Amino acid sequence: MEGGKSEGMQLTELPGVGHKTAARLKAQGFHKAMDLVYLLPRAYQDRTNPQLISAVSVGQFATISGQIMSVSERRYRTRKTLEVMVTDGHGVILLKWFRYGRWFKGNIEKKLPPGTEVLVSGRVSSFSGNLEMHHPDLTETSGAEGGGIVPVYPLTEGISQQTVRKAVQAAVSQLLSTVSEDIPDAIRKENNLPALSESLSRLHDPLDTDDIQALNLGESHWHTRLKFGELLAFQLGLLIRRRALDSRTSHPVSPGGSLERKLIRTLPFKLTQSQVKALDDVGRDMERKVPMHRLLQGDVGSGKTLVAFIAMLKACEAGYQAVLMAPTEVLAEQHYRTISQWCKTLGLSVALLTGNVDGKQRADVLSKAVSGETKLFIGTHALIQEGVRFRNLNLAIVDEQHRFGVLQRLALGKKGSSPHFLVMTATPIPRSLSMVIYGDLDITTIDEMPAGRIPIETMVFRETDRSRMHLRVSREAEAGRQVYIVYPLVEETEKMELLAANEMAKNYREKIFPHLSIGLLTGRMVSREKDTVMEKFRSGEYQVLVSTTVIEVGVDVPNANLMVVEHAERFGLFQLHQLRGRVGRGMNQSTCILMEGANIAEEARQRLHVISMTNSGFEIAEADLKIRGPGDFLGVRQAGMPEFRFAHPFREGELMAAARKAAFKMLPEGGELTSGMVEEVRRMWSDEVLTANSG
Ligand code: ADP
Ligand code: MG
């Protein structure tokens, strides 16, 4: 996009666009005429070759030509549906709208009475054996300008398809010539991409011979060009950020190692090769003047905490401070317990800072942070709050990164002068995705479990198996081992569910297992209550812990060998995997029983099947991606991702990889970008992220 007059052209300067239309377009985020050039059609109609209704198939995108038989509005309970029946003499199809305004309905009733000849385009579905289209595009045949392949734009309430089409056409004809190419020719050639202006032109006005299926799927050559441009801007942003990070100087940590060696001597086990390799990577990073920015990924139970702690020891031995930040209090406290023990054998002190730590204790921790008296800190986001200052923070470790996101990572960085960063995640992310989420980080993977672990056996039980489950619980407890029973809380019905969890605990205590000692842990409890319950479970006073999902992360009770998950179908695959990771930490065979509710959806059944078949987080992640689709994967969307207009960042693995390669080519050390690209990058990324202003 070039500056100047074209860039500034107002919507109302376009022929046919009045103030009303302009206001409606603006409400949808289209402020300037140029924005319309980038408003891509959501579908295409092939007017020259409509299909017979009798010949369309379910799932396909089709255009048909027929006559309106009826228009009616129906009420299903509280919902209204607008229904239009259309026939072409060979078949009947029912068009349905579930969301529509009065304007839309009035327009159809007035302008398209029964008998009107119409063209309809949309995805074909079926409902109890009849063909349907939901929210299709519907136009009067006589009013349809011309034949061929015609674009259908996302409709805005109060604007007709014709109006949008005309406005876009006007914008394209006036402004397309001013659109300048922002991807260098060499990169375009290498990736076989058409020019930007050509792509925009063809997307708004395809040739009759263009592949309509590809256009409708958003997979045409022209679409690819726009997606690539966006992914390239995304990757360039990550690269610029990484360059900014690398231009800083941190305090290198000289390889000491005496604390490390001392610790390793006292451990009752040997480090796995993966752990050794991870420590090599981390050690090498920390010895450099450029701050480390590394992701440490490894499955639940693979021993990341120890790696983190040894990294902290390196900083400590060199006279610096180090922090480990966890996403929840329970997890922070768990780390604190583990690390305190290690510290005791080394004669070091470590401080805990969470929301729970207050008053004098908090003041004490804060003062020792400023003075540098304490070198090692464990905590939650309480560590990044105002007023927490360190003397010489050199290493910041973030556990379970995807819960924090880029921005919080930045905040932690502000606490030191360019500290080394280590981000830990238990989520083994397929490579294409890790490039998306962690594109600015180097990656180390722990792909090996400590020796001697016995794989957890996972079983799916129906309601009819409940008494068998009770038997297993009793037997386990009687053998001196402990049991988790997890109960899901669903947000909307949290109160009801909480009642249910309480009720269930009571039921277990009084009726089913009167002979066992049972604790209850819920998310609603204040931290101190949670601590008390956890402590009693840890010490073995409780044989069974009934819990809502708060134990999802971080609890480490090796004597717990059985986990029962009630309504397992309500959990996501990954949640189940993490939950299950709470057992299988000791030397005995552990079991996970997934209680499957009645009448569950096919997708949920698939999930339970996957989880019962494999213990590998990596396989589970891949399956999750397949079952749920990448959009929901891990809820990464909340993790400070920029917005994409054309590409779906998780779906275009190959294109993303190509864009990454291109970004490195375009931006060799110290290189410059075209002004168009710079703008694209700015549109996606905030300055704070780009300049790594803090990291
Ligand atoms: P995660 O990677 O999920 O954070 P943890 O660090 O909590 O895993 O480790 C899980 C358990 O395994 C802990 O009890 C830890 O002490 C133990 N552990 C760590 N490394 C090893 C090893 N090399 N051999 C045996 N056990 C280990
Ligand atoms: Mg962990």
Side-chain angles (χ1 to χ4, degrees), residues 423-435:
V423 176
M424 302 197 289
T425 174
T427 313
I429 296 167
R431 175 129 181 83
S432 59
L433 293 190
S434 60
M435 260 190 310

Side-chain angles (χ1 to χ4, degrees), residues 197-471:
S197 57
E198 184 191 354
S199 302
L200 288 167
S201 158
R202 284 291 270 281
L203 286 166
H204 289 297
D205 189 13
L207 301 181
D208 292 359
T209 49
D210 282 345
D211 178 352
I212 188 154
Q213 285 297 336
L215 283 170
N216 272 321
L217 290 169
E219 288 171 2
S220 71
H221 201 39
W222 327 106
H223 282 103
T224 304
R225 163 61 184 82
L226 290 177
K227 288 179 196 172
F228 188 91
E230 197 166 46
L231 295 173
L232 182 58
F234 176 78
Q235 287 294 339
L236 282 168
L238 286 174
L239 195 57
I240 291 169
R241 173 178 158 76
R242 183 62 206 237
R243 290 278 151 79
L245 291 171
D246 286 351
S247 72
R248 287 151 200 257
T249 36
S250 60
H251 300 285
V253 166
S254 53
S258 70
L259 285 174
E260 178 180 341
R261 280 191 298 274
K262 193 166 160 198
L263 174 74
I264 290 174
R265 269 203 306 276
T266 64
L267 291 174
F269 49 73
K270 262 182 67 185
L271 297 196
T272 64
Q273 280 188 5
S274 279
Q275 283 172 319
V276 171
K277 157 94 171 43
L279 282 169
D280 273 356
D281 288 350
V282 168
R284 220 174 319 106
D285 286 353
M286 288 176 70
E287 283 161 30
R288 297 196 313 155
K289 272 213 189 81
V290 174
M292 164 168 74
H293 285 276
R294 185 167 292 279
L295 172 73
L296 179 61
Q297 66 173 27
D299 213 339
V300 182
S302 61
K304 295 183 292 295
T305 314
L306 184 59
V307 174
F309 180 63
I310 293 177
M312 291 171 88
L313 285 182
K314 286 179 197 290
C316 178
E317 197 165 355
Y320 297 109
Q321 292 172 303
V323 304
L324 168 58
M325 180 163 96
T328 64
E329 279 171 8
V330 175
L331 184 53
E333 282 157 18
Q334 171 77 48
H335 281 322
Y336 180 66
R337 230 175 337 261
T338 310
I339 288 177
S340 295
Q341 276 171 9
W342 286 329
C343 281
K344 212 189 276 166
T345 57
L346 298 172
L348 296 172
S349 75
V350 52
L352 175 71
L353 191 60
T354 66
N356 268 346
V357 178
D358 48 21
K360 233 185 113 213
Q361 206 183 346
R362 182 179 150 87
D364 185 50
V365 172
L366 294 191
S367 94
K368 285 179 173 160
V370 179
S371 71
E373 188 180 335
T374 302
K375 301 250 181 289
L376 304 172
F377 296 83
I378 318 284
T380 54
H381 54 274
L383 283 168
I384 55 175
Q385 277 158 4
E386 292 276 328
V388 183
R389 268 194 298 277
F390 296 93
R391 188 173 123 81
N392 59 0
L393 183 64
N394 179 268
L395 171 66
I397 303 178
V398 181
D399 195 9
E400 305 285 350
Q401 143 76 12
H402 65 270
R403 288 162 189 254
F404 286 111
V406 177
L407 295 178
Q408 263 164 319
R409 217 198 296 160
L410 290 179
L412 185 53
K414 282 186 182 145
K415 298 292 176 190
S417 74
S418 308
H420 295 288
F421 255 111
L422 183 66
V423 176
M424 302 197 289
T425 174
T427 313
I429 296 167
R431 175 129 181 83
S432 59
L433 293 190
S434 60
M435 260 190 310
V436 177
I437 311 168
Y438 303 116
D440 57 338
L441 300 173
D442 299 317
I443 299 179
T444 296
T445 305
I446 298 190
D447 52 9
E448 180 185 10
M449 282 297 190
R453 286 279 166 82
I454 308 169
I456 302 161
E457 175 193 29
T458 302
M459 301 182 281
V460 181
F461 275 21
R462 303 261 164 95
E463 264 317 297
T464 46
D465 302 317
R466 187 167 282 278
S467 54
R468 270 173 63 209
M469 181 270 276
H470 293 165
L471 201 65

Side-chain angles (χ1 to χ4, degrees), residues 140-189:
E140 206 180 336
T141 312
S142 60
E145 343 66 79
I149 298 178
V150 179
V152 178
Y153 291 94
L155 256 192
T156 305
E157 176 71 13
I159 311 181
S160 73
Q161 192 59 241
Q162 271 89 339
T163 307
V164 180
R165 209 171 271 149
K166 277 199 194 113
V168 173
Q169 267 162 19
V172 169
S173 76
Q174 303 220 13
L175 299 178
L176 195 62
S177 60
T178 70
V179 169
S180 63
E181 183 57 51
D182 49 17
I183 303 182
D185 288 349
I187 302 275
R188 273 201 298 123
K189 214 182 236 162

